[in-house]
Amino acid sequence: MNFLEQTFDFILTTDRCLMTNHHGKEFLGFLGTGPAVGVPESVWKWLACPKMKVDDLGRPEQAPYGMRKVEAKLIDEGFKAAIIDPDHLERHLKYAKALMFSHHDYFAFGPPSSTWWGITKKEPINYKSFQALINKPEIQEAKKRGMKILVGGPSTWQWLWREDMIEKVGVDTLVDGEGEKIIVKLAQMILDNEPLPKYVYVSGDDVPDIDDISEIKGASVNGMIEIMRGCARSCRFCSVTIRPTRYYPLEKIEKELQTNVRAGVRHGVVHSDDVLFYGAVGIYPRPEPLIKLHTLVKKYYKTIAWSHASLAAIRYSEEKYGLISKLGEIIFDDEQRYLGVEVGIETGSVRLAKEIMPAKSAPYKPEEYPEIVEEAFKIMHENKIIPAGTMIVGLPEETEDDVYKTIELVDNLRPYRSILVPMFFVPMGFFKNRDWFTRVKLSEAHIELYRKVFWHDVYWAEDIINSFYMKGPVYMPVRFALKLFLRFAKKKMREVEKWLESQLKA
């Protein structure tokens, strides 16, 4: 078969910060949301986003899960589509009808990136990486020949804040929301040479049902498989709660597990906006579907992680059913000694929790929220679950006292193995159209919060690296680089603390 017989009408791609498997360790991807610190940028990029193998056509061995879903839908509907590595675009764009971008953080407005950028005043790696991609001459040459450019993914909203880039890149359509149904309509419009809408917000009848969502055709980055969509908690700062809740049947999940295993991927991430809500009744987790789910996943994967879980669900599941312990009996074996997960702490302030996320504590009372957080962290610590706990700094309703309540919570979490991640507020969900600060102004309370979090994270990061993370000789260079970074970070923080102390005395 010659190359012309292997061309594609629709090319999907993203920059190197996402077209990578982060050495098989999903959490290392967070390094790509910041600038290089303490090591050369080339080393930082190698740590965060190393290149992956590609086939003869430039298709990566693994690709971001969301892009795999869109690729699969196009293929199932009879279109010629493929995900192509950003370094292998040129020969494909000569024949493509459309180039489709996807990204979690196009312009580094997302919480991790904007936090790094605000503190260091340096452009994050992911921002620089995407800028390098869209400035590739082959993209502009293809655009002049009539190729269409479509933008999608969870951070499509960021283009609305950078309308200058829409014009500069030559974006034809922005797709904001779940794309499985609308992308089929747009692809056919492109083939029929019909004019495209500039902006599409997916809602109502365009939100895909389970039957509209195709199973992935190629391996996903770090074996990620989705188990459901949507969340019932309705937090005002979150865009996920706008989407209806849908659970994937086990048969659908198993097909994607098999796809990854066939590609040699035996370690994976179970993805949901709250894994413990799989098969739930409202916000009440149920043991049976979760036990069946994890039994199925461990049949195929040697090790797993959870993308997200809520702290109230963790506490409720263990107190009501002993479920966290029961799941541990399924998950942990000779191959797997710990489980990683991202959890949303958001704040230690009861007042703020009641204001912006009254259902975050359910089925417990909002007044109990700090206690819920601490109890859930204790449960995770005792069950070999290592959380990355995110917190929101700078919410519109935040007061100085709210920040000090969060500092108090950080102190109470010190005994529990975890990484804490305070992030600047970014307007999504209910707040999406409200003004927000683009120039970060940290108060004394914010500075104290970051200082406390830093020493918490350094203490537990060293423990995690030494006891759990990246075992074996193959990871020795990465472990060495991480330890070097921690040593540099501690030195710099001590210098900052001395400077702050001198300023207070003055």
Side-chain angles (χ1 to χ4, degrees):
M1 183 181 290
N2 61 44
F3 179 74
L4 288 177
E5 293 175 306
Q6 297 174 309
T7 59
F8 304 99
D9 291 327
F10 300 97
I11 301 298
L12 298 87
T13 197
T14 191
D15 69 89
R16 180 61 60 207
C17 277
L18 288 183
M19 198 72 80
T20 176
N21 69 351
H22 319 291
H23 301 283
K25 302 295 180 181
E26 191 72 14
F27 190 74
L28 285 179
F30 275 103
L31 293 177
T33 66
V37 178
V39 295
E41 186 169 296
S42 59
V43 175
W44 191 272
K45 290 171 72 174
W46 170 77
L47 272 174
C49 44
K51 292 184 180 182
M52 291 186 296
K53 293 179 181 178
V54 299
D55 66 12
D56 292 342
L57 295 178
R59 293 176 297 191
E61 62 179 0
Q62 298 175 33
Y65 183 82
M67 293 177 65
R68 283 292 191 207
K69 297 299 266 187
V70 175
E71 175 194 47
K73 184 63 176 178
L74 289 170
I75 292 172
D76 282 349
E77 294 295 329
F79 297 100
K80 296 174 63 180
I83 296 172
I84 299 297
D85 185 274
D87 291 343
H88 297 264
L89 288 174
E90 186 172 6
R91 59 176 175 167
H92 289 285
L93 294 185
K94 295 176 182 178
Y95 309 99
K97 300 288 194 304
L99 176 63
M100 300 178 177
F101 289 127
S102 181
H103 210 287
H104 285 285
D105 201 4
Y106 282 108
F107 300 110
F109 292 162
S113 307
S114 60
T115 302
W116 279 98
W117 202 337
I119 292 174
T120 66
K121 309 303 179 186
K122 295 180 180 180
E123 294 176 340
I125 293 294
N126 60 354
Y127 175 82
K128 296 171 73 173
S129 179
F130 182 68
Q131 291 295 310
L133 171 61
I134 59 179
N135 284 304
K136 283 179 174 287
E138 56 264 37
I139 293 178
Q140 293 307 312
E141 289 171 9
K143 180 65 182 172
K144 290 175 183 177
R145 291 194 296 269
M147 181 190 74
K148 304 298 183 182
I149 296 180
L150 279 65
V151 165
S155 63
T156 299
W157 62 271
Q158 295 186 11
W159 290 82
L160 302 178
W161 293 76
R162 290 296 308 270
E163 293 184 7
D164 59 312
M165 295 303 296
I166 296 176
E167 184 70 25
K168 179 181 177 181
V169 177
V171 175
D172 293 280
T173 301
L174 301 173
V175 180
D176 194 349
E178 297 178 51
E180 279 90 352
K181 289 179 70 173
I182 194 65
I183 199 64
V184 174
K185 298 178 183 178
L186 294 172
Q188 192 59 53
M189 291 172 71
I190 290 169
L191 293 183
D192 293 341
N193 292 316
E194 295 180 12
L196 297 174
K198 290 295 291 183
Y199 176 81
V200 177
Y201 180 76
V202 179
S203 62
D205 292 339
D206 285 327
V207 173
D209 296 325
I210 290 296
D211 291 340
D212 297 316
I213 302 172
S214 294
E215 290 89 32
I216 59 175
K217 310 298 183 190
S220 56
V221 166
N222 290 326
M224 178 175 283
I225 49 106
E226 190 173 45
I227 60 172
M228 60 176 285
R229 291 189 185 179
C231 175
R233 290 201 182 274
S234 302
C235 299
R236 294 167 64 206
F237 55 81
C238 181
S239 58
V240 174
T241 58
I242 300 171
R243 296 153 48 184
T245 301
R246 289 142 292 167
Y247 302 111
Y248 287 12
L250 292 177
E251 295 78 13
K252 191 179 189 72
I253 294 169
E254 186 168 24
K255 289 178 183 178
E256 298 201 332
L257 290 166
Q258 291 169 341
T259 296
N260 277 314
V261 170
R262 281 196 298 269
V265 179
R266 295 299 304 274
H267 306 271
V269 179
V270 178
H271 172 61
S272 163
D273 297 295
D274 190 338
V275 168
L276 294 175
F277 275 2
Y278 180 73
V281 177
I283 51 86
Y284 294 93
R286 294 172 54 228
E288 183 181 0
L290 287 165
I291 288 171
K292 287 183 177 179
L293 170 69
H294 286 81
T295 300
L296 172 66
V297 175
K298 282 295 287 187
K299 173 183 173 183
Y300 290 95
Y301 285 167
K302 294 179 179 179
T303 66
I304 67 171
W306 292 343
S307 62
H308 305 89
S310 64
L311 296 164
I314 289 169
R315 179 183 177 185
Y316 177 84
S317 297
E318 185 64 10
E319 289 184 345
K320 179 75 172 177
Y321 304 110
L323 182 56
I324 303 302
S325 302
K326 291 177 182 176
L327 294 178
E329 293 173 4
I330 299 169
I331 294 167
F332 300 120
D333 51 28
D334 292 340
E335 292 279 353
Q336 180 160 3
R337 299 176 58 236
Y338 74 97
L339 180 141
V341 62
E342 183 179 335
V343 297
I345 299 171
E346 320 313 355
T347 181
S349 164
V350 169
R351 185 198 71 81
L352 201 53
K354 291 169 71 175
E355 177 69 24
I356 66 167
M357 51 184 199
K360 187 87 168 179
S361 58
Y364 305 98
K365 296 178 181 178
E367 289 81 5
E368 300 177 61
Y369 189 66
E371 177 190 334
I372 293 165
V373 175
E374 186 173 354
E375 186 61 31
F377 268 64
K378 180 182 178 182
I379 290 168
M380 289 187 286
H381 184 84
E382 292 172 348
N383 287 275
K384 297 185 287 187
I385 298 174
I386 303 176
T390 56
M391 296 175 283
I392 303 176
V393 175
L395 279 158
E397 289 90 348
E398 182 187 84
T399 67
E400 196 88 338
D401 183 63
D402 294 324
V403 182
Y404 280 110
K405 292 294 185 183
T406 302
I407 292 172
E408 182 180 334
L409 179 59
V410 169
D411 286 336
N412 292 340
L413 296 179
R414 184 58 186 263
Y416 309 118
R417 187 181 297 106
S418 56
I419 300 296
L420 305 180
V421 188
M423 301 184 294
F424 297 146
F425 165 71
V426 175
M428 294 182 283
F430 173 83
F431 295 110
K432 191 169 182 178
N433 296 316
R434 296 179 62 170
D435 292 336
W436 61 299
F437 59 95
T438 53
R439 294 184 180 180
V440 177
K441 296 179 181 178
L442 293 178
S443 67
E444 288 186 13
H446 289 140
I447 293 171
E448 179 64 8
L449 172 62
Y450 275 92
R451 190 184 71 81
K452 291 270 188 179
V453 165
F454 175 86
W455 289 114
H456 175 103
D457 286 355
V458 166
Y459 174 80
W460 282 116
E462 291 177 334
D463 174 82
I464 291 165
I465 291 172
N466 290 328
S467 303
F468 294 98
Y469 209 49
M470 293 191 164
K471 292 296 183 181
V474 69
Y475 287 118
M476 283 185 64
V478 183
R479 284 167 56 85
F480 175 77
L482 288 173
K483 288 185 175 183
L484 189 67
F485 166 66
L486 288 174
R487 188 183 308 166
F488 171 83
K490 287 193 290 185
K491 178 183 177 183
K492 284 296 181 183
M493 178 54 81
R494 291 190 184 102
E495 293 174 0
V496 169
E497 287 180 328
K498 286 182 181 178
W499 180 84
L500 288 171
E501 186 178 344
S502 67
Q503 292 298 303
L504 290 174
K505 289 181 178 178

